[in-house]
Amino acid sequence: MTALTERMKDGLDAPICITWELTYSCNLSCVHCLSSSGRRDPKELTTEEAFRVVDELRNMQVFYVNIGGGEPMIRRDFFDIVEYATSSGVGVKFSTNGTYIDAATAQRLAAMDYLDIQISLDGADAATNDAIRGEGSYDTAMTAMRHLKDAGFGEFKISVVITRHNIAQLDEFKAIADQFGAQLRITRLRPSGRAVDTWEQLHPTLDQQRTLHQWLLGHGENVLTGDSFFHLNALGESLPGLNLCGAGRVVCLIDPIGDVYACPFVIHDEFLAGNVRGNGGFAAVWRTSDCFTELRGPQSAGACASCGSWDACQGGCMAAKFFTGLPLDGPDPECVGGDGEYALASAGAIPRPNGDHSKPVAVQLRRRSNV
């Protein structure tokens, strides 16, 4: 364990980066959406409140913010907030399904400084992608990528959540990224939001995880992961990254109504640290909340204490444990040593995430026969 990682375990004066969900509104209904997005929350931060959050981040010297949702470009003040942030010296990376990136918008985005874009894609073909993200979403994402390439945006990111249905397409995802002059970013599927109900059907098998580990060892220098696969380090050779759960230590989430959570994948009262509308704003939440103070304290290895791989994997992902009913000091549900699968057999009740913003399912009425 490096001295830097040990220092980060105690928490930093300001987060390295923040995930900021601008809205729960979304035109898609992805089956693994981490925030169960769909409908806008009427208590969303106003434009002026968003500007005040940016001011705080600038004063705290936060390097950049990950803007997401929902679909962040749905907000009418999206460009106002992004341009205010970048002009304040706070870099912006935003995730989008690409629906609102036409040729003109791509030109506008390409002209901006301190901006990065992630286009979400969960299948290297329409059938695989659209089963997760909805009919037509593959073509929409590919069209957005073409607009960005034609506009000369540069190396945008293609963001893929790895599932058991697309893991065999890793080489194809890389080829798509190369085709557009983009960079591939793959992340781990966590059982958060709507994925609480779909994780069991979607998460990679143990054999697939071993395949992923080997693929990342061969492509790690050119593929981003956001350090989300550090549980795979227990397989032997460590992947590039901090090998650290940064929740409440170096990262956190601001949701559309200003609630601050330890990470984007634990939207639950147990990990709610405060609200940016409170006294002292975001800075007070980051520096004084009881939730973050506890997370920055010494963590027990618990059931993993006797495992020789503890130093390599650090027990895995907190969110993955929490939303599968496992104790936080227990094994990761995808533990490559098999302990997670054993623990799941006797797991407790599965907590439900805060708020379901999904759109109501349309009910199609059958016309009654007159016969």
Side-chain angles (χ1 to χ4, degrees), residues 40-244:
R40 174 183 175 272
D41 191 308
K43 300 188 294 294
E44 277 181 6
L45 297 178
T46 66
T47 307
E48 291 71 25
E49 288 175 319
F51 286 174
R52 286 199 291 273
V53 171
V54 171
D55 290 339
E56 283 200 82
L57 301 184
R58 178 196 62 222
N59 294 337
M60 295 175 72
Q61 298 183 322
V62 173
F63 182 63
Y64 73 94
V65 58
N66 289 313
I67 286 178
E71 171 50 56
M73 296 188 76
I74 283 180
R75 278 192 61 143
R76 294 180 180 180
D77 58 359
F78 169 77
F79 276 104
D80 295 328
I81 295 171
V82 171
E83 288 170 351
Y84 187 81
T86 56
S87 65
S88 299
V90 179
V92 171
K93 177 188 296 182
F94 76 92
S95 298
T96 175
N97 58 47
T99 300
Y100 301 97
I101 300 181
D102 56 18
T105 303
Q107 291 285 350
R108 182 176 183 180
L109 293 168
M112 299 175 66
D113 293 325
Y114 307 114
L115 180 71
D116 196 7
I117 301 174
Q118 291 186 163
I119 305 291
S120 296
L121 189 72
D122 288 327
D125 54 66
T128 306
N129 179 84
D130 292 4
I132 299 293
R133 306 188 61 81
E135 185 176 356
S137 56
Y138 177 85
D139 290 340
T140 295
M142 298 296 284
T143 298
M145 292 182 215
R146 282 192 287 271
H147 286 317
L148 290 174
K149 181 179 180 180
D150 292 345
F153 181 87
E155 195 179 53
F156 60 89
K157 308 296 187 294
I158 298 176
S159 183
V160 178
V161 178
I162 293 297
T163 70
R164 67 179 57 180
H165 304 298
N166 66 17
I167 199 166
Q169 299 179 329
L170 287 167
D171 288 336
E172 296 171 66
F173 283 123
K174 185 65 171 60
I176 292 173
D178 293 343
Q179 171 190 345
F180 287 103
Q183 187 169 24
L184 179 61
R185 182 180 189 271
I186 65 172
T187 58
R188 182 181 178 186
L189 173 72
R190 276 87 159 194
S192 308
R194 279 194 287 270
V196 166
D197 298 316
T198 59
W199 179 83
E200 188 173 343
Q201 293 78 39
L202 294 179
H203 79 96
T205 65
L206 181 57
D207 285 342
Q208 288 176 325
Q209 291 191 79
R210 293 192 179 103
T211 298
L212 174 62
H213 180 250
Q214 289 301 309
W215 192 88
L216 286 173
L217 289 176
H219 298 80
E221 293 184 359
N222 301 309
V223 176
L224 301 175
T225 65
D227 292 342
S228 61
F229 297 105
F230 63 87
H231 72 294
L232 297 181
N233 292 341
L235 287 170
E237 189 174 350
S238 292
L239 301 172
L242 293 173
N243 188 26
L244 169 73

Side-chain angles (χ1 to χ4, degrees), residues 187-365:
T187 58
R188 182 181 178 186
L189 173 72
R190 276 87 159 194
S192 308
R194 279 194 287 270
V196 166
D197 298 316
T198 59
W199 179 83
E200 188 173 343
Q201 293 78 39
L202 294 179
H203 79 96
T205 65
L206 181 57
D207 285 342
Q208 288 176 325
Q209 291 191 79
R210 293 192 179 103
T211 298
L212 174 62
H213 180 250
Q214 289 301 309
W215 192 88
L216 286 173
L217 289 176
H219 298 80
E221 293 184 359
N222 301 309
V223 176
L224 301 175
T225 65
D227 292 342
S228 61
F229 297 105
F230 63 87
H231 72 294
L232 297 181
N233 292 341
L235 287 170
E237 189 174 350
S238 292
L239 301 172
L242 293 173
N243 188 26
L244 169 73
C245 173
R249 295 163 166 173
V250 297
V251 299
C252 68
L253 166 77
I254 301 175
D255 85 348
I257 64 173
D259 282 339
V260 181
Y261 293 90
C263 96
F265 303 101
V266 287
I267 302 177
H268 187 276
D269 285 344
E270 187 164 333
F271 303 98
L272 175 60
N275 189 286
V276 301
R277 287 170 165 149
N279 292 334
F282 172 76
V285 176
W286 178 259
R287 292 168 179 164
T288 67
S289 79
D290 292 339
C291 174
F292 288 174
T293 298
E294 182 176 352
L295 288 172
R296 294 164 189 166
Q299 302 296 309
S300 167
C304 298
S306 61
C307 177
S309 298
W310 162 256
D311 288 338
C313 75
Q314 296 292 298
C317 174
M318 177 178 73
K321 299 179 199 181
F322 184 75
F323 283 121
T324 52
L326 299 181
L328 298 188
D329 63 353
D332 189 290
E334 292 183 303
C335 169
V336 294
D339 292 328
E341 185 175 349
Y342 177 79
L344 286 172
S346 57
I350 297 176
R352 301 301 304 179
N354 282 7
D356 186 347
H357 312 279
S358 303
K359 296 174 183 176
V361 177
V363 178
Q364 296 182 347
L365 300 178

